[in-house]
């Protein structure tokens, strides 16, 4: 069974043993900085710091980081196109791109890329089991944590099913042409949806049959927080905010 590349990177990260609280403070601080301050030059600075720490300090391969960014980048591009294109009603309905809409779309892209980079810093250094344990310590409702944990466990089963079905389709030349590829992709999607629904019902019935009303907890051995890490992260955030404020003239 193949795992998730991001999850594998988190387990092998140099920051794996660091406290979840420390990494969450740094990532959320970067996210807040990117969301609150103007996008230029804040967003490139936040993205550079987040990805730089991920590669140089956490030891995540740069190629893996680039592959992890491809999916979110595609959604960001599609979203920015919808922001840049404006519907005009002057001489009939039409679509156009103005300087204002382009500026707004670039701003949205900057915020989105910086926020994604900040969240990727946390996701690629912290395994999901540590995140779930951290959420429990934060007193998040148990039902939310339990649902997140079940979805995480189900992902690996569904990924294995996707690989098996796709391999079977490829062996039958299901992807030999564009038309066959579209048909095979549709059948694959339908099979995964029905299979995930069936597995979820079987899991629910199995747990109900055992009269399991408590949560499926794992061992929680929290790592002590590191004052040096928190101080370095705080200094980085202060430097980022100061530089962005001076550059954009907010501090003037």
């Amino acid at each position: 069974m193949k795992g998730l590349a991001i999850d594998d990177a988190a387990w092998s990260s140099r920051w794996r043993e660091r406290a979840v609280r420390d990494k969450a403070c740094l990532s959320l601080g970067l996210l807040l900085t990117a969301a609150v301050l103007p996008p230029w030059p804040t967003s490139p600075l936040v993205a550079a710091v987040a990805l730089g720490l991920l590669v140089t300090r956490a030891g995540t391969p740069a190629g893996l980081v680039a592959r992890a960014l491809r999916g979110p980048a595609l959604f960001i591009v599609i979203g920015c196109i919808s922001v840049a294109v404006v519907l005009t009603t002057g001489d009939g309905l039409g679509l156009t791109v103005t300087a204002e809409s382009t500026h707004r779309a670039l701003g949205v892209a900057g915020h989105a890329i910086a926020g994604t980079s900040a969240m990727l810093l946390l996701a690629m250094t912290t395994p999901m089991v540590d995140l779930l344990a951290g959420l429990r310590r934060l007193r998040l409702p148990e039902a939310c944590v339990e649902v997140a944990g079940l979805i995480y466990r189900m992902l690996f089963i569904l990924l294995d099913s996707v690989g098996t079905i796709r391999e079977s389709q490829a062996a039958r030349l299901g992807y030999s042409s564009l038309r066959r590829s579209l048909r095979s992709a549709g059948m694959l999607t339908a099979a995964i949806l029905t299979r995930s629904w069936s597995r979820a019902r079987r899991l629910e019935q199995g747990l109900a049959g055992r009269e399991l009303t408590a949560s499926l907890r794992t061992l929680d051995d929290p790592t002590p927080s590191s004052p040096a890490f928190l101080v370095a992260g705080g200094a980085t955030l202060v430097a980022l905010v100061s530089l962005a404020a001076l550059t954009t003239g907010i501090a003037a």
Side-chain angles (χ1 to χ4, degrees), residues 166-188:
R166 197 180 190 288
E167 186 177 350
S168 174
Q169 289 177 328
R172 297 176 182 177
L173 302 179
Y175 295 93
S176 58
S177 65
L178 178 61
R179 183 177 179 180
R180 288 187 175 183
S181 297
L182 292 175
R183 184 171 181 272
S184 298
M187 294 176 65
L188 174 62

Side-chain angles (χ1 to χ4, degrees), residues 61-245:
L64 181 58
V65 175
R67 289 200 301 275
L69 279 172
R70 285 186 307 186
L74 178 62
F75 283 99
I76 292 171
V77 169
I78 294 174
C80 290
I81 290 176
S82 65
V83 174
V85 177
V86 179
L87 178 65
T88 59
T89 57
D91 300 325
L93 291 178
L95 299 177
T96 185
V97 178
T98 65
E100 182 183 356
S101 66
T102 303
H103 180 73
R104 190 165 54 245
L106 290 175
V108 171
H111 282 304
I113 291 174
T116 302
S117 302
M119 287 296 96
L120 207 59
L121 176 63
L122 179 63
M124 299 190 81
T125 57
T126 311
M128 190 65 181
V129 290
D130 292 352
L131 286 175
L132 295 176
L135 292 175
R136 282 196 174 94
R137 289 195 291 273
L138 283 176
R139 307 292 184 184
L140 197 74
E142 190 64 35
C144 298
V145 180
E146 196 64 24
V147 169
L150 286 175
I151 292 174
Y152 171 70
R153 295 183 180 95
M154 292 282 291
L155 275 178
F156 295 93
I157 299 174
L158 295 179
L159 284 175
D160 188 53
S161 299
V162 169
T164 302
I165 295 174
R166 197 180 190 288
E167 186 177 350
S168 174
Q169 289 177 328
R172 297 176 182 177
L173 302 179
Y175 295 93
S176 58
S177 65
L178 178 61
R179 183 177 179 180
R180 288 187 175 183
S181 297
L182 292 175
R183 184 171 181 272
S184 298
M187 294 176 65
L188 174 62
T189 304
I192 292 302
L193 286 176
T194 54
R195 184 168 295 194
S196 61
W197 179 264
S198 173
R199 284 184 180 274
R201 284 189 60 85
R202 287 160 54 190
L203 178 62
E204 180 187 7
Q205 292 169 355
L207 293 176
R210 297 175 187 176
E211 296 185 354
L212 181 63
T213 56
S215 60
L216 297 172
R217 291 206 174 195
T218 56
L219 292 177
D220 181 15
D221 186 17
T223 306
S225 183
S226 169
F229 186 89
L230 289 175
V231 169
T236 302
L237 293 176
V238 170
L240 267 176
V241 172
S242 302
L243 182 59

